Every structure is written in C-alpha cells, then in structure tokens.
Amino acid sequence: VFGLASAQPSTGFVGCADITTMCKEGQVQEAYNLAKADLAAIPTDVWKQRAVGWALYYMIKADSEVGDYAKLLEHIDELKSLDQLTIANDSMIFDNVQFQIANFIKNHIFLTDIEASSKLSTLFSKLKDYEFKSSKGHSFLLQTILKFENWSEMPNFFDWWNLDNLTTEDYTPYINQKGQKIMTLAERAFIANSKALLRLNDLGRIEEFLPKMDNLMNNHKEMMYPGYFYGKLLLALGSNSDEALKVIIPFARKKATEFWVWQLLSDVLTNDEDKQLACLLRAIHCLTQETFLGKVHIKLANLYIKRGLLNSARFHIDAVTRCYASQGWRLPNEIDCWIHQPWLNSTTPDGKDPIDYKSITDAILCDGAEECIAVVTYVDQNSHKAFIVYGKEKRAVQKFRFKVHTGKTLKLYYITDNEGRMKVLNSTTIHLPSDLDYAKFVEGNIDKREDKEFAFLKSGSISCFVSPNIVRKYGLKNGDKVKSLIVYDYDKKKEAWNWVCVNVKK
C-alpha cells in the first residue's frame, strides 16, 4: 500500500484503519464482511464506502498475486460501484488498485496469450473512467503495457494515460545487472506512442502529438530515437515523396548532424538510388555510436550487393557483425544470411565511399531554398565574420565554415528565419556574373586629393568611393588607371546606398 488509510470520525462502526489492520493480518474476508455490514446500514455514507474500498483493494491484491482474472474483474466492478468514492478524495485506494492491475498484467498476461488483447481492453475499460495523476502505480501500469506493441487500443491508452504524467524518475536511465544502459521509460513511451499513431495513421492525432515530440527532443537531447520517429510521423503527413520532402527537409536542416535524419531521408528517396546511398553514407559518417547504426549498415550492404560492389558490402556486413557480437546480440536475419553466402569469403572489406555523398546530401538540404550571388565586401579578422552584399540593396553578415576574403564571389543557398535573418545552407565559389545590378567590374581613373586619405574611382557616369584602406593597400595615386570590383553597398554615415570599391588592379 502506498499510503495509510484515511482517518475517519469516531462512530460505532468499524473504521478504515481497523479494516486495513485486519487485512494486513490476513483477515481480508472478515474485514470485508464487517465493512459490507456497516455499509448496508448506511449505503450512502462515504466512510462506509471507503472501508469497503480498502477491503476490496486487498482482495484485488490477492487476485493479482494468484492471477484470478475473473475475481479481479468482479472486485474491480464492485469498487467502481461505490459511487461516493472519487479520485480527488480517495486517490490512495485507486492508485493502489491501479498498481495491482499493472502487477496482474506483468505477471499473468503474456504476448503468447491469444486473449491478451481482449483482457487488456477489458481492464482498460475499468480504468479509463478515472483520471490519474503522476504516481509510481501510474508509471508501473505504463511500463507493463508497453510490451503489447500491437494492442489495438494503444493510441487510446496513451491519450488516457497522458505522457505529461511521466515523473522525473521516468526520465532517468538505469543500468541493468549486465552493466548495460537501459532506455528510459519516458523515451520508450514516446516511441511506443509514435508507433501506435503510425499504425493507426490518424493524421489529426499525429499533428497533435508532434509538438510533444518536438518538446521532448529539445529538452532531452541525449535521447537518440525520438527524433527518428518524429521524422517518421512527419513522413506520414506527406501524401507522396515530394510532399514528404517538403515537410521533412526544413526539419532535417536543423538536425543535419543526426544520423537518423539521413536514415529517414533514405526511406523517402527510394526512387533515386544515388540519393538514397548518399543519405545512408552521411548517416554512418555522423558522430554516432555503432550500436545505433545496424539498420543503416544493412541498408548500405543491400545497395552495394545490388550494384555488385561486394567488397563495399563486406565492409558493412563486418561492421554489424562486430558490433552485435560485442553486445551479445543475435545477428539480424539479413546478416546471418549473407555471412553464409559463398561470395563473402572471396571479398576484401572496402570502406571507401564510392560517391561524393556530402555534395549530394548538401544539395538535398538545399531543395526549396533561396539562391543568390553574394560578394564579400569586408572580413573582420577577429570575429571571422564576413560582410556580404547579395542583392540590390541587400546586405548581411555571415560566418562561413571556410576562409573567405574581400572580393570573393559566392553562390549561396539559404533560408530566412522568422525574424528575416539569413541562414546559409550551402555555398560555392563562382566567377562574378556579368549581369548583376549590384556588383560589377569597371575600368576607370582614380581621383584623389593630396589632403585626403580616400579617393573616388571615375568610370563613365559612376563615381565610386574608394576607402582609405583600399588606397593604402594598393598605393593608389591621383590619375591611376585601374580595373576594380565595385559593389552597391550601404554607407552608414550617409545612411544611403552607394557604389563602393572592393578591390583594385592597376
């Protein structure tokens, strides 16, 4: 029992404390008979109902221990008939009963039982009228139900159980006797709920569940698998692969370092074998424990076998074999089949990537992104930030993953966040196109006064400002003939857009 029976006013009848004392001493039937006699005298008295409720709890506990399903149902129904008892005022009774129901499920309902689903549904029908809060009993019930993955009422069970009731302890991993780290109850529950919704394919429920999954991933980054199932749920919302990509790619951009994102995209891109292969290769190149990559290696081996690249296939078959052996796991059927094939012994493992997976997968992330031509106008050497102009009266500050210099021209693929800021997804160096209206090469003459450090470049109707830094860097003098890259950039001092000289060639 999780708590003591509630005290009651002194009367001539047997109290709840007396009933529980008798039950603990093994006099359950006698206690029940006394409590029922008192209740018969005043049927609507809440204290008399509580005394019967506690006696029934001990009877339910005995039913659970011996596995008497019929008696268990009979006593649960009698408890439910006590109409003065409520979850709010009698939570101890109901929480303890919930624990015993969970205990019965754990010890007396098995996956091999042909009546398992009907028994679970019947027990669930007894519980779902009550709204339980977080407790050990509530978490224990969840734990016992999770093994029945194919139970048809699993989605309804999760709606009723309410994952908001998970406790701090439910989010804490533990180590088993073999020293293995076991997945938390919380992570298992979210995954099971996802699987149930995917089987049901109820798009409305999936959309409602996604924010909870998103919140879980943001607050528990140590959990590996919820993100994969988040992606599977997103995929379920797409009516075809193109629609699915529109939903998944924005999410994949945020999680591009996670292996399961690329595993998921490989599931979407089954009609394009090169892209599928590239996604799987990127998955195994993410910094991930080998224990998570078994399915990815198997998919890669399968693709390589189809292409006749048996040495490459051998590399991934060996990777799975080593990993599973180190964990004491049974080999997957595919691996077990391949290692008995005659060709395996004539191969040499080859771990080289046959395609440029990085370029292919970067391009996948850029699908649907905006494109632009950007010119670097200045680089802050301390912060490594580059100032760029990427359109007519469009400028931004970016940190690139590679070294850039003033005057470098880039083709950028980017998205904008909710505040309108640019996020570069991919970039390549290119030659400056001749048709831009915000950057071009011009030839002209330097116009510089002796008493000024700055100058102007005169080219036709254009008078372009040349900064003191450019003047000093190239040793410019009045009258010099130069070729220059000029950019239509913003002048903070004048609060206006003007042509500015970026670099010079005499």
Side-chain angles (χ1 to χ4, degrees):
V1 182
F2 295 140
L4 296 175
S6 303
Q8 75 174 92
S10 178
T11 67
F13 297 98
V14 178
C16 292
D18 298 322
I19 293 296
T20 55
T21 299
M22 291 177 68
C23 289
K24 288 177 183 179
E25 291 174 351
Q27 299 173 297
V28 178
Q29 189 63 50
E30 294 87 340
Y32 171 77
N33 292 339
L34 284 172
K36 285 287 284 185
D38 286 351
L39 180 61
I42 313 177
T44 57
D45 185 275
V46 67
W47 290 100
K48 307 300 178 291
Q49 289 200 9
R50 280 182 184 137
V52 174
W54 278 110
L56 284 169
Y57 158 69
Y58 281 97
M59 298 176 100
I60 289 168
K61 182 174 183 290
D63 300 334
S64 174
E65 288 172 352
V66 300
D68 192 331
Y69 180 60
K71 283 291 185 182
L72 180 74
L73 295 182
E74 179 185 324
H75 292 138
I76 291 172
D77 285 337
E78 187 174 353
L79 176 64
K80 285 173 67 73
S81 72
L82 301 175
D83 56 2
Q84 298 299 308
L85 303 188
T86 64
I87 282 282
N89 296 323
D90 304 282
S91 60
M92 283 193 294
I93 294 176
F94 290 104
D95 280 342
N96 279 286
V97 167
Q98 181 183 208
F99 188 92
Q100 294 306 326
I101 292 173
N103 200 50
F104 177 86
I105 294 170
K106 178 185 177 182
N107 296 314
H108 301 290
I109 300 182
F110 306 101
L111 290 171
T112 53
D113 186 350
I114 60 173
E115 295 183 342
S117 290
S118 65
K119 287 179 180 178
L120 290 175
S121 295
T122 300
L123 289 170
F124 178 43
S125 71
K126 310 298 182 186
L127 286 169
K128 65 184 180 182
D129 292 335
Y130 302 102
E131 185 177 339
F132 289 95
K133 302 298 181 185
S134 299
S135 69
K136 286 186 176 181
H138 204 45
S139 292
F140 183 39
L141 177 67
L142 174 64
Q143 183 180 330
T144 60
I145 288 291
L146 289 183
K147 67 179 179 181
F148 299 97
E149 194 172 81
N150 295 316
W151 179 36
S152 62
E153 289 202 67
M154 191 68 92
N156 297 331
F157 173 81
F158 276 113
D159 285 347
W160 167 80
W161 196 93
N162 187 358
L163 291 176
D164 290 339
N165 283 325
L166 287 162
T167 66
T168 302
E169 188 178 348
D170 295 334
Y171 285 92
T172 305
Y174 63 97
I175 309 296
N176 68 9
Q177 293 178 343
K178 294 181 179 179
Q180 296 170 321
K181 190 175 182 180
I182 304 301
M183 192 183 293
T184 65
L185 178 61
E187 186 171 3
R188 289 166 55 210
F190 272 92
I191 290 172
N193 199 355
S194 300
K195 288 181 176 179
L197 291 176
L198 287 168
R199 284 193 299 274
L200 188 64
N201 198 31
D202 185 326
L203 302 188
R205 275 170 134 169
I206 288 173
E207 283 186 299
E208 188 178 336
F209 184 58
L210 281 173
K212 293 184 179 181
M213 285 289 281
D214 189 51
N215 185 60
L216 178 77
M217 290 185 298
N218 290 333
N219 293 327
H220 295 275
K221 298 185 186 298
E222 76 281 2
M223 293 184 181
M224 187 64 69
Y225 284 114
Y228 174 75
F229 285 96
Y230 183 92
K232 296 287 280 185
L233 291 167
L234 285 176
L235 180 55
L237 296 178
S239 57
N240 55 52
S241 60
D242 290 337
E243 289 299 315
L245 284 173
K246 287 179 184 178
V247 177
I248 292 170
I249 284 177
F251 172 70
R253 289 168 183 156
K254 298 177 184 177
K255 301 287 185 179
T257 59
E258 305 287 351
F259 85 94
W260 48 261
V261 164
W262 299 106
Q263 184 180 353
L264 178 66
L265 282 168
S266 76
D267 291 339
V268 181
L269 297 165
T270 52
N271 293 329
D272 190 323
E273 204 171 272
D274 275 353
K275 287 183 178 179
Q276 186 183 23
L277 178 60
C279 288
L280 291 169
L281 287 171
R282 184 146 180 177
I284 63 166
H285 284 289
C286 291
L287 296 176
T288 308
Q289 296 176 42
E290 272 296 312
T291 51
F292 293 118
L293 295 174
K295 290 183 179 179
V296 179
H297 283 299
I298 290 170
K299 285 186 175 184
L300 279 167
N302 196 44
L303 283 176
Y304 284 138
I305 291 169
K306 284 175 63 179
R307 293 186 172 201
L309 300 173
L310 301 184
N311 289 339
S312 298
R314 170 71 183 271
F315 176 83
H316 294 282
I317 292 168
D318 286 356
V320 178
T321 304
R322 282 193 306 271
C323 177
Y324 277 52
S326 68
Q327 298 297 317
W329 298 342
R330 187 178 65 83
L331 284 178
N333 291 333
E334 300 96 328
I335 299 294
D336 191 47
C337 177
W338 287 329
I339 63 177
H340 290 96
Q341 295 294 317
W343 58 261
L344 191 79
N345 292 328
S346 62
T347 57
T348 303
D350 184 359
K352 294 177 184 176
D353 302 322
I355 58 174
D356 181 4
Y357 73 87
K358 187 70 166 54
S359 296
I360 296 172
T361 51
D362 280 347
I364 291 170
L365 291 180
C366 293
D367 186 38
E370 296 184 68
E371 300 177 23
C372 69
I373 306 299
V375 179
V376 179
T377 60
Y378 174 71
V379 179
D380 186 326
Q381 298 300 332
N382 294 321
S383 65
H384 303 291
K385 290 180 179 178
F387 292 73
I388 61 171
V389 170
Y390 64 98
K392 192 64 180 284
E393 299 189 359
K394 290 182 179 180
R395 72 195 304 267
V397 180
Q398 283 290 313
K399 247 187 178 180
F400 292 99
R401 288 174 291 181
F402 52 89
K403 197 169 184 179
V404 297
H405 57 78
T406 301
K408 194 176 186 74
T409 305
L410 304 166
K411 184 171 185 179
L412 303 181
Y413 299 87
Y414 70 96
I415 56 174
T416 51
D417 62 19
N418 294 333
E419 298 176 5
R421 291 174 300 197
M422 171 189 279
K423 180 183 177 182
V424 175
L425 302 172
N426 196 19
S427 58
T428 54
T429 302
I430 62 167
H431 292 293
L432 185 76
S434 59
D435 59 349
L436 297 184
D437 60 357
Y438 55 89
K440 56 187 174 181
F441 287 104
V442 298
E443 294 182 359
N445 298 318
I446 294 296
D447 180 10
K448 182 184 180 301
R449 288 171 46 177
E450 288 293 331
D451 60 335
K452 300 295 182 182
E453 293 185 337
F454 59 84
F456 289 91
L457 171 62
K458 304 288 186 179
S459 178
S461 61
I462 295 175
S463 179
C464 180
F465 178 75
V466 184
S467 71
N469 286 337
I470 297 290
V471 171
R472 286 192 296 271
K473 181 176 180 179
Y474 296 97
L476 298 179
K477 297 182 180 59
N478 187 51
D480 283 347
K481 292 181 185 283
V482 298
K483 182 177 181 180
S484 174
L485 170 62
I486 64 173
V487 176
Y488 201 63
D489 202 357
Y490 187 70
D491 187 331
K492 285 186 178 180
K493 289 184 179 178
K494 294 182 179 180
E495 296 184 346
W497 289 84
N498 292 304
W499 287 103
V500 175
C501 175
V502 173
N503 59 27
V504 169
K505 185 177 182 181
K506 289 187 181 180

